[in-house]
Amino acid sequence: MKNLKNIAQAMVSPGKGILAADESTPTCTKRFTALKIESTESSRNRYRSMLLSANNLNQYISGVILFDETFYQNMIDTSQTIPQYLKSKNILTGIKVDTGAKSLAKHPGEKITEGLDNLRERLQKYHMEGADFAKWRAVITINKNIPSDTCMHANAHALARYASLCQENSIVPIVEPEVLMEGNHNINTCYEVTDKILKIVFQELKLLKVDLEAMVLKPNMVLSGLENNEKISEDTVAKMTYDVLNKNVPKEVPGIAFLSGGQSSDLATQRLNNLNKLYGNEKSWNLTFSYGRGLQQDALLNWATGNTKKAQEALIYRAKMNQHASLGKL
Ligand code: 13P
């Protein structure tokens, strides 16, 4: 399996993390509209080009996850494709290959991620055109009586089928089972559900012969629901998050890159720092970031006011803070 292990290691190498800029067009439009920015192919291109051309991004960012539209665009006002540009900056190119989370039949309130049809052919094409790694996100919702075992098994199986197809086609898979923060559940429930989904995901990865050394796990942290007001110390958050990963993630996996999932940018940074500070010496994988909102929020706010320079500085500031956090040095 040529180079895949090296790519996976590079994605999570010490002091580096991943920029998730793969919002689907509807999600990007929602974020733009909230700030009164018109969402067109061209405005999305300008925004993503602004992010990627921030000064010295490659000091902090090992790879960028792109949406299909961006993958085929040029850097604004140049004839260089975005994957070519990233390569010239020594940044790995990632591509979101799932086609979204859809309602799971006969399971109200639950989702199954789709995108396996023709995935082999799509991966071959992306690989030829410069993709180094891919992402597939499964979402697990907590509510009364859910998640069901069915939802967890179906999503874990799809993640494993995706991951094995990626490796077959020389692409490193990011395996992302996200337990959502939405809801009023307590932190113990998040722990139990995260524990269960990780267990099933690694069973399925094994069944599908996925090489654990050539993948990156992208999980949620263990947190109480957004509408739950229980007071939990940050050390407890770190302890429960580390514990659930330590129980379930084999040491062969080179790295774990968290999603930010609706935490504030500051909290996402602090929590990553706390994890590395408290458990840096005993963990067997690198613990870093693969943030979307956690890296982009401030940059987007500044860009919305027309200040490109400030937007790029905001992105770099966030990337730098997360770099320190990934080393436990804040
Ligand atoms: P957030 O960090 O905004 O949760 O996005 C990460 C991601 O890639 C979700 O799939």
Side-chain angles (χ1 to χ4, degrees):
M1 209 184 290
K2 87 169 175 3
N3 279 335
L4 287 198
K5 289 177 192 172
N6 293 346
I7 293 174
Q9 275 168 12
M11 287 162 69
V12 294
S13 58
K16 294 262 180 97
I18 297 164
L19 167 62
D22 61 322
E23 301 81 7
S24 64
T25 299
T27 302
C28 190
T29 300
K30 204 164 74 193
R31 299 205 177 135
F32 276 20
T33 308
L35 296 170
K36 303 199 164 43
I37 307 165
E38 200 191 353
S39 178
T40 62
E41 208 178 315
S42 150
S43 67
R44 293 189 292 274
N45 188 208
R46 260 185 291 123
Y47 174 65
R48 265 82 182 239
S49 297
M50 177 279 293
L51 292 177
L52 303 182
S53 57
N55 213 7
N56 295 329
L57 189 67
N58 60 7
Q59 282 184 16
Y60 321 100
I61 299 295
S62 57
V64 180
I65 319 174
L66 305 174
F67 186 58
D68 182 81
E69 177 186 82
T70 320
F71 188 89
Y72 288 108
Q73 283 172 333
N74 288 347
M75 282 297 278
I76 198 89
D77 299 332
T78 76
S79 55
Q80 200 172 28
T81 68
I82 287 182
Q84 284 166 350
Y85 172 81
L86 289 174
K87 194 167 185 171
S88 76
K89 297 285 174 191
N90 248 326
I91 296 178
L92 297 162
T93 294
I95 177 76
K96 170 191 172 74
V97 297
D98 68 68
T99 55
K102 310 286 163 61
S103 294
L104 179 63
K106 300 193 177 191
H107 291 77
E110 298 197 279
K111 301 257 164 108
I112 177 74
T113 299
E114 296 188 347
L116 289 171
D117 287 352
N118 302 319
L119 183 57
R120 174 177 282 124
E121 292 73 21
R122 289 165 55 220
L123 288 166
Q124 284 166 352
K125 194 160 178 282
Y126 283 134
H127 179 247
M128 293 230 322
E129 286 159 356
D132 303 293
F133 68 96
K135 179 190 112 171
W136 179 291
R137 171 177 177 251
V139 295
I140 306 296
T141 307
I142 300 178
N143 207 333
K144 197 162 177 274
N145 300 327
I146 63 171
S148 64
D149 284 356
T150 316
C151 175
M152 288 194 275
H153 278 280
N155 273 298
H157 186 70
L159 272 169
R161 285 202 40 210
Y162 140 82
S164 60
L165 272 169
C166 282
Q167 292 183 344
E168 180 199 82
N169 293 288
S170 305
I171 286 188
V172 171
I174 292 186
V175 173
E176 180 177 5
E178 175 175 6
V179 178
L180 293 175
M181 283 176 77
E182 279 77 16
N184 63 3
H185 52 272
N186 61 28
I187 194 166
N188 289 327
T189 307
C190 178
Y191 179 94
E192 281 160 25
V193 173
T194 305
D195 183 37
K196 195 158 179 179
I197 186 68
L198 288 176
K199 224 165 235 103
I200 303 171
V201 164
F202 280 101
Q203 276 163 11
E204 290 290 327
L205 292 172
K206 194 168 167 209
L207 204 62
L208 274 287
K209 302 195 170 150
V210 172
D211 181 350
L212 300 181
E213 293 180 37
M215 61 162 274
V216 169
L217 179 73
K218 176 162 172 167
N220 52 285
M221 295 180 189
V222 174
L223 301 166
S224 24
L226 284 171
E227 291 145 37
N228 188 305
N229 294 324
E230 65 181 345
K231 285 265 166 290
I232 304 289
S233 76
E234 287 305 326
D235 282 1
T236 304
V237 167
K239 183 179 184 318
M240 291 175 84
T241 302
Y242 179 72
D243 187 67
V244 85
L245 295 170
N246 195 34
K247 251 166 87 176
N248 291 294
V249 186
K251 62 175 185 343
E252 288 79 8
V253 174
I256 297 175
F258 291 101
L259 56 95
S260 61
Q263 306 173 68
S264 71
S265 311
D266 274 334
L267 274 176
T269 304
Q270 280 171 31
R271 287 173 174 155
L272 177 62
N273 184 58
N274 216 15
L275 273 159
N276 278 303
K277 220 174 195 152
L278 294 172
Y279 302 102
N281 291 333
E282 53 184 284
K283 65 184 170 51
S284 17
W285 356 256
N286 286 331
L287 281 180
T288 188
F289 57 95
S290 174
Y291 293 161
R293 286 161 286 180
L295 281 167
Q296 291 183 54
Q297 237 153 29
D298 301 341
L300 180 58
L301 281 173
N302 279 294
W303 192 71
T305 69
N307 197 332
T308 298
K309 188 165 173 280
K310 262 191 148 173
Q312 290 181 321
E313 284 169 2
L315 173 66
I316 293 300
Y317 175 76
R318 264 299 134 208
K320 195 184 273 186
M321 289 301 110
N322 285 310
Q323 171 177 70
H324 291 318
S326 73
L327 300 167
K329 287 196 171 149
L330 273 182

